[in-house]
Amino acid sequence: MTTHARPAGPDDATGAPAGPAAAVTDGPDRVRHADTVELLGLVAQLEQVAFARLAADAAVAPSTDQRLQLTRFAAAAVARRDTVLARLTELGADPVAAIGQFDHVLDDFDARTQPSTWWERLLKAYVGYGVADDFCRLAAEGLDEESRRVVLAVLDDAAHAELAVAELDAAGSDDGVLSARLALWGRRLVGEALGVVQRLLVQRPGLVRLVEQREEPVAPAEQQAEGRPSPANPPTKLFGELTAQHTRRMSRLGLTA
Amino acid sequence: MTTHARPAGPDDATGAPAGPAAAVTDGPDRVRHADTVELLGLVAQLEQVAFARLAADAAVAPSTDQRLQLTRFAAAAVARRDTVLARLTELGADPVAAIGQFDHVLDDFDARTQPSTWWERLLKAYVGYGVADDFCRLAAEGLDEESRRVVLAVLDDAAHAELAVAELDAAGSDDGVLSARLALWGRRLVGEALGVVQRLLVQRPGLVRLVEQREEPVAPAEQQAEGRPSPANPPTKLFGELTAQHTRRMSRLGLTA
């Protein structure tokens, strides 16, 4: 059972010590704790997905050198995921349940964006998962200091992105047809990726709360109580920032967003 | 170009320093060096294959917990492979070429032994790749001390085997039908695995030399010169040992070899 799903019972009001999560007793703190567990679970799952994708990329890499590099990136994704899981344990949450609730978070995205070439595959990693990382980075601003530090450190490891940029830049710079195709592919990827974020915000009010905490002063406790409906307007500022990051990312490759 | 493929040129006789491999100048030492590079390349490739297999296992693992464990084992295989590649660099060899020459070493084996259940998959990892590891362990006895130490340390990491043993033992102990099926599957796996070893020995005289060095006192230099035909009888003692190890492995699971 995840801490998130824990019903508010009479035991919660006694303040009796019950393990590392015992400090979480009153309403707003419990909500904040559940929201933190939710975002950390999502970040851990994204690293898990990154592992699987990098392993699949390694299997079809054009050269032995690239295969060696990609398996190293895959191994690094496992280490990053485990850093996030360790933070979940520190917070008294069940890490397996926290990551498991997001098991299929990118299945739809992957099914809709099957790359047909090595370049499309590289661009998918760079652009598609880049949006997911940006979203987590923005939502992380609503976390406690230590959890935020863990998430930002995990998301800051851009070694794989550097490889993708170097290869895509070299390939596209003297091939106008390839550049035009990849620009089109990038637009499709970002559209699908923003769709994933939108669905997440609809299904996970906790993530909306985290994103909003960074945008405005912390609201009074009663407004943060569990069960508060998600706002009618999804945070348009968030989507503006995600799109701006995407445009920056594409222009690093010399591609039109 | 691999050091293995380096032709014996007049420069080799001068003894002039030419990088880390410069000490390798005379015939028998050069052969020994090439044989070492060959075995280290094979061991590195087996870890690479283990990574790919563990990543594939993780993708279909029945539980989140098993998935987390298997990805950790996959990451550990990358680290072990890189330890072997680092030793190749120390020896002045090209690690990418050394591992690349074995890119397809288990393709045939994998195509012939497609597991149809989770249990068959676990047993394949334990038995099939166990034979390959045993072979490398035996051949490693013909290596220089430091290379041998690296290979034995890499092959000694049995964490994944322990998981397979625990799960297979628990599953088979109260299920006679499953046990009988797995015993049959184990016999098929060991037959195919020994076939891989046999083909390797036919194609790679260097591996035969390493295996023989452990079986008899070091032969005079002229007998070890490159181009020496592989013996008419493949080392039957080797196959006896590999089979004995397999029997021990199966009996740990309570299965008949």
Side-chain angles (χ1 to χ4, degrees):
Chain A
M1 189 173 74
T2 65
T3 307
H4 177 226
R6 191 175 61 160
D11 283 357
D12 288 323
T14 64
V24 180
T25 47
D26 57 343
D29 276 1
R30 201 180 57 235
V31 171
R32 189 181 158 90
H33 182 261
D35 293 352
T36 303
V37 170
E38 195 156 29
L39 181 58
L40 291 175
L42 176 60
V43 174
Q45 182 63 241
L46 289 174
E47 293 299 329
Q48 170 74 31
V49 171
F51 164 82
R53 181 177 49 75
L54 289 162
D57 288 357
V60 297
S63 76
T64 303
D65 229 0
Q66 283 163 314
R67 176 170 306 134
L68 296 178
Q69 267 310 101
L70 287 163
T71 55
R72 278 175 204 131
F73 294 142
V78 171
R80 289 196 301 269
R81 181 203 65 197
D82 284 352
T83 305
V84 179
L85 295 183
R87 178 63 188 153
L88 281 159
T89 303
E90 271 174 26
L91 290 171
D94 175 350
V96 174
I99 189 175
Q101 66 180 315
F102 290 105
D103 259 350
H104 302 290
V105 68
L106 289 188
D107 284 6
D108 245 30
F109 174 75
D110 279 332
R112 287 164 180 272
T113 56
Q114 290 287 326
S116 56
T117 65
W118 177 248
W119 307 117
E120 289 190 4
R121 202 175 258 270
L122 281 181
L123 193 63
K124 176 174 169 177
Y126 179 60
V127 163
Y129 298 98
V131 171
D133 283 2
D134 281 341
F135 168 70
C136 292
R137 204 175 280 121
L138 293 171
E141 290 178 36
L143 295 178
D144 66 274
E145 200 177 322
E146 176 58 13
S147 298
R148 182 169 59 244
R149 196 195 59 73
V150 167
V151 169
L152 295 182
V154 156
L155 297 176
D156 200 38
D157 184 346
H160 178 245
E162 294 309 318
L163 177 83
V165 169
E167 293 210 11
L168 286 166
D169 199 26
S173 60
D174 57 349
D175 187 338
V177 175
L178 179 62
S179 287
R181 275 193 195 149
L182 288 177
L184 199 65
W185 177 242
R187 282 194 280 280
R188 181 141 152 239
L189 288 168
V190 78
E192 295 289 349
L194 292 174
V196 172
V197 173
Q198 193 136 26
R199 278 193 298 280
L200 270 175
L201 291 176
V202 169
Q203 291 160 5
R204 307 273 176 174
L207 297 178
V208 176
R209 277 190 294 270
L210 287 171
V211 168
E212 284 178 345
Q213 263 169 31
R214 61 175 276 275
E215 295 191 331
E216 55 198 0
V218 177
E222 62 271 22
Q223 281 191 28
Q224 296 188 42
E226 201 156 14
R228 179 195 176 198
S230 54
N233 287 338
T236 50
K237 189 174 161 205
L238 173 76
F239 282 95
E241 286 183 28
L242 292 177
T243 308
Q245 287 290 355
H246 169 69
T247 305
R248 259 191 290 271
R249 214 179 274 120
M250 292 296 276
S251 68
R252 282 191 67 195
L253 304 178
L255 296 177
T256 319
Chain B
M1 189 172 76
T2 64
T3 307
H4 177 224
R6 191 176 62 160
D11 284 357
D12 287 324
T14 65
V24 181
T25 47
D26 58 343
D29 276 0
R30 201 180 56 234
V31 171
R32 187 181 158 90
H33 181 263
D35 293 352
T36 302
V37 170
E38 196 155 29
L39 181 58
L40 291 175
L42 176 61
V43 174
Q45 182 63 241
L46 289 174
E47 293 299 329
Q48 170 74 31
V49 171
F51 164 82
R53 181 177 49 75
L54 289 162
D57 287 357
V60 297
S63 76
T64 303
D65 229 0
Q66 283 163 314
R67 176 170 307 133
L68 296 177
Q69 268 309 101
L70 287 164
T71 55
R72 279 176 203 131
F73 294 143
V78 171
R80 290 197 301 269
R81 180 203 65 196
D82 284 352
T83 306
V84 180
L85 295 183
R87 178 61 187 154
L88 280 160
T89 303
E90 272 174 25
L91 291 171
D94 174 351
V96 174
I99 189 176
Q101 66 180 316
F102 289 105
D103 260 350
H104 303 289
V105 68
L106 289 188
D107 284 5
D108 245 29
F109 175 75
D110 280 331
R112 287 164 180 272
T113 57
Q114 290 287 327
S116 56
T117 66
W118 177 248
W119 308 117
E120 289 190 3
R121 202 175 258 269
L122 281 181
L123 192 63
K124 177 174 168 177
Y126 179 60
V127 163
Y129 299 98
V131 172
D133 283 1
D134 282 340
F135 168 71
C136 292
R137 205 175 277 121
L138 294 171
E141 291 179 35
L143 295 178
D144 66 274
E145 199 177 323
E146 176 58 14
S147 298
R148 181 169 60 244
R149 195 195 60 73
V150 167
V151 169
L152 295 182
V154 156
L155 296 176
D156 200 37
D157 183 347
H160 178 245
E162 293 310 318
L163 176 84
V165 169
E167 294 210 11
L168 286 166
D169 199 25
S173 61
D174 57 348
D175 187 339
V177 176
L178 179 62
S179 287
R181 275 193 194 150
L182 288 178
L184 199 65
W185 177 242
R187 282 193 280 280
R188 179 138 155 243
L189 288 168
V190 76
E192 295 289 349
L194 292 175
V196 172
V197 173
Q198 192 136 26
R199 277 193 297 281
L200 270 175
L201 291 175
V202 169
Q203 291 160 5
R204 307 274 177 174
L207 297 178
V208 176
R209 278 191 294 270
L210 287 171
V211 168
E212 284 178 343
Q213 262 168 32
R214 61 175 276 275
E215 295 191 331
E216 56 198 1
V218 177
E222 62 271 20
Q223 281 190 30
Q224 295 189 43
E226 202 157 14
R228 179 195 175 196
S230 53
N233 287 338
T236 50
K237 188 174 161 206
L238 173 76
F239 283 94
E241 286 182 29
L242 292 177
T243 307
Q245 287 291 354
H246 169 69
T247 305
R248 258 191 291 272
R249 214 179 277 120
M250 292 296 275
S251 68
R252 282 192 67 195
L253 304 178
L255 297 177
T256 320

